[in-house]
Amino acid sequence: MSFLVIGECVADIVRGADGTERIHPGGSPANVAYGLARLGRDVTLLTQLADDPTGRLIADHLKDAGVRVEVGGAPVRTPSAVVGLDAHGGASYTFDIAWTLETGELLVEQPGHVHIGSIAAVTAPGAATVLAEVERLRDRATVSYDPNVRPALMGDHTEAVARVERCVALSDVVKASDEDLDWLYPGAEPHEVAARWRALGPAVVLITRGAAGSILFTGRETITAEAPPVTVVDTVGAGDSFMSAVLDVLGRRGRETLAGLGAHDLVRMLCRATAAAAVTVSRAGAQPPDRAELDAAEERFTLRFGRVR
């Protein structure tokens, strides 16, 4: 199966608690594409990159992993985010980004799956292009979405929730963090949000909770996974690695099959995704595991920490 990811690339300028700075290729959709390529998947990223040093750095990073990069219009400069890390490796972001995606005829063949998310799915004017592509392709492709909420860029709360829910309604699989839910639906429990979103259309909803693990919801199953204890370097890209691993497991499933996934397949997906995130937080920047690393990590995680409630 081929994957098409549509969304932003961002140069992450990571400032450590000691004041040091490092530049990492980033952007949630770009990270998902990179993670899929690291797992050996056939993936194309439709994005925007400027012809500047950070743009070339990001393009080389993606292509080295095997991602095909298609550029739908070049911005004046490549988007950037200053990432501040606290003493526990937690990340906060300050963005310099514009999203004006344009696209003609895609060079990629009809994908089997389309992934969207983050800034690109809700930021005008480029978000209109993203949604138009999803609507054009979804009759023949499954769709996933990660809101990856950035409050500073979301604008009016009510309008932002409506934009997010439009993306949810187009999707078969949705992944969000507990921080996303706290901003979108203050005070709501994860199962309440999952029920709300599933009523809009997705067969599978996943909620990540950092060190508290993750929860998966379908119409018949609620499954949790604990996070393995790891030494956290930083949390940059952990959710994107989780998403890549989910899509790797689901990549051969059609829309009808997704709705009927059994507990065994769901447990494996959750364990594999949680293991991918654990590997990523153990090293600096958005550096997801390759297939051999993930296979080894999944085995350790499943034997020691996986469980169903």
Side-chain angles (χ1 to χ4, degrees):
M1 174 187 285
S2 62
F3 291 83
L4 172 64
V5 180
I6 310 176
E8 74 273 5
C9 293
V10 179
D12 288 336
I13 305 167
V14 181
R15 291 179 178 169
D18 61 358
T20 58
E21 286 191 354
R22 305 183 306 274
I23 298 178
H24 296 288
S28 176
N31 291 341
V32 172
Y34 183 79
L36 283 166
R38 291 269 291 166
L39 294 174
R41 290 294 190 169
D42 178 7
V43 57
T44 298
L45 174 67
L46 175 60
T47 190
Q48 288 190 296
L49 284 170
D51 184 16
D52 57 20
T54 52
R56 292 188 289 272
L57 171 71
I58 294 171
D60 289 345
H61 166 78
L62 292 165
K63 292 174 182 177
D64 285 348
V67 179
R68 286 187 298 274
V69 179
E70 293 188 17
V71 177
V76 174
R77 59 186 178 278
T78 295
S80 64
V82 176
V83 185
L85 300 177
D86 61 25
H88 305 289
S92 60
Y93 298 82
T94 303
F95 292 95
D96 178 9
I97 185 169
W99 181 245
T100 58
L101 184 71
E102 300 173 357
T103 180
E105 183 178 352
L106 283 173
L107 300 178
V108 67
E109 296 180 3
Q110 171 67 39
H113 185 90
V114 180
H115 175 75
I116 62 172
S118 196
I119 297 164
V122 296
T123 301
T129 301
V130 175
L131 296 183
E133 285 298 301
V134 172
E135 289 169 347
R136 182 178 70 84
L137 295 168
R138 73 182 303 272
D139 284 347
R140 292 172 291 167
T142 48
V143 179
S144 57
Y145 171 56
D146 176 2
N148 194 42
V149 170
R150 301 306 184 202
L153 302 177
M154 297 298 285
D156 177 80
H157 183 268
T158 300
E159 293 179 0
V161 171
R163 292 195 300 272
V164 166
E165 291 188 347
R166 182 182 177 191
C167 295
V168 169
L170 290 169
S171 303
D172 301 286
V173 179
V174 177
K175 191 278 296 182
S177 70
D178 51 0
E179 293 178 344
D180 294 335
L181 301 195
D182 287 345
W183 191 86
L184 291 166
Y185 308 103
E189 294 295 327
H191 71 272
E192 296 172 327
V193 178
R196 175 173 178 152
W197 282 357
R198 288 200 66 260
L200 295 174
V204 180
V205 174
L206 301 112
I207 307 300
T208 58
R209 304 181 295 165
S214 54
I215 315 174
L216 179 152
F217 300 90
T218 70
R220 296 180 297 176
E221 302 279 356
T222 299
I223 301 173
T224 69
E226 293 181 345
V230 295
T231 300
V232 176
V233 175
D234 68 50
T235 61
V236 176
D240 304 323
S241 293
F242 185 102
M243 187 81 247
S244 297
V246 166
L247 298 183
D248 179 55
V249 174
L250 293 181
R252 299 183 186 277
R253 310 283 184 172
R255 186 166 289 129
E256 295 78 12
T257 309
L258 278 177
L261 284 174
H264 175 78
D265 289 331
L266 295 171
V267 168
R268 180 170 184 268
M269 178 177 67
L270 198 55
C271 289
R272 194 165 176 82
T274 304
V279 171
T280 303
V281 300
S282 70
R283 48 203 191 191
Q287 292 295 326
D290 62 22
R291 187 166 295 280
E293 290 174 319
L294 183 53
D295 287 345
E298 180 190 10
E299 182 177 357
R300 294 194 305 271
F301 174 77
T302 303
L303 291 175
R304 297 176 59 191
F305 305 108
R307 70 183 183 188
V308 182
R309 290 177 179 166

